[in-house]
Amino acid sequence: MSLMVLVVCVVLLVVVAVSVLALVGFRVMRLRSRGTAVLLRSLPAGDDRGWRHGIVRYDDHSLIYYRLSSLRTGPSEVIPRQAIETRGRRQPRGTEVEVIDAMTILEIDADGSGFELAMASGAVTAFQSWVESRPPVRSVRRRSA
């Protein structure tokens, strides 16, 4: 009898593990097909610490970051478009080169919070165009009377 209970428990654990892996795989594939691959870290950070793989999407009002290694259904970071200021760009250095090779790192500021985004050169161009094409802060449309 106890052997039967053990077998049932093992089967249930395997089913649960396979289900979780399938959900994670589905989430990763879904996100990758609908965004731009980046690495993001909050500043201040250590020399090569804090980088997180993820996907960004741009909408009219914000940059939306989804961390790939998270089971969270919503975004991990939402950065308002009007608040983004690019502070500089650099190439990977030190041990960053092992993970971030052939990417450019942008340092951005958003309402006092600092971030670094590592992305491919085409994605950097798209990001810069998106930021620069935002409407001016003063161009808030008024409703007609």
Side-chain angles (χ1 to χ4, degrees):
M1 188 72 165
S2 65
L3 181 60
M4 184 63 130
V5 171
L6 181 64
V7 168
V8 169
C9 288
V10 168
V11 168
L12 284 175
L13 286 174
V14 168
V15 167
V16 168
V18 168
S19 298
V20 167
L21 287 174
L23 287 172
V24 169
F26 175 74
R27 180 179 184 275
V28 168
M29 287 185 345
R30 186 170 159 237
L31 284 175
R32 284 192 175 202
S33 68
R34 296 182 180 172
T36 303
V38 299
L39 282 90
L40 176 118
R41 73 174 177 171
S42 297
L43 295 177
D47 289 340
D48 56 356
R49 300 189 189 279
W51 289 106
R52 302 291 180 247
H53 291 273
I55 300 294
V56 292
R57 288 194 221 164
Y58 312 111
D59 69 15
D60 290 342
H61 307 289
S62 56
L63 177 140
I64 304 163
Y65 171 78
Y66 295 88
R67 186 173 166 185
L68 285 181
S69 62
S70 173
L71 293 178
R72 174 186 250 177
T73 56
S76 301
E77 293 282 346
V78 177
I79 303 172
R81 185 178 186 184
Q82 290 294 344
I84 295 174
E85 294 294 328
T86 303
R87 297 289 180 210
R89 71 173 58 195
R90 67 178 178 86
Q91 294 302 310
R93 55 183 175 241
T95 57
E96 290 176 339
V97 175
E98 297 170 14
V99 177
I100 311 175
D101 190 29
M103 293 181 137
T104 301
I105 300 170
L106 295 176
E107 183 179 342
I108 62 171
D109 182 60
D111 285 336
S113 298
F115 298 95
E116 282 188 323
L117 282 169
M119 52 180 89
S121 62
V124 170
T125 303
F127 174 77
Q128 290 291 104
S129 296
W130 175 78
V131 170
E132 291 170 5
S133 67
R134 67 185 167 208
V137 176
R138 302 182 107 195
S139 72
V140 177
R141 295 184 182 187
R142 294 183 185 174
R143 285 195 244 180
S144 53

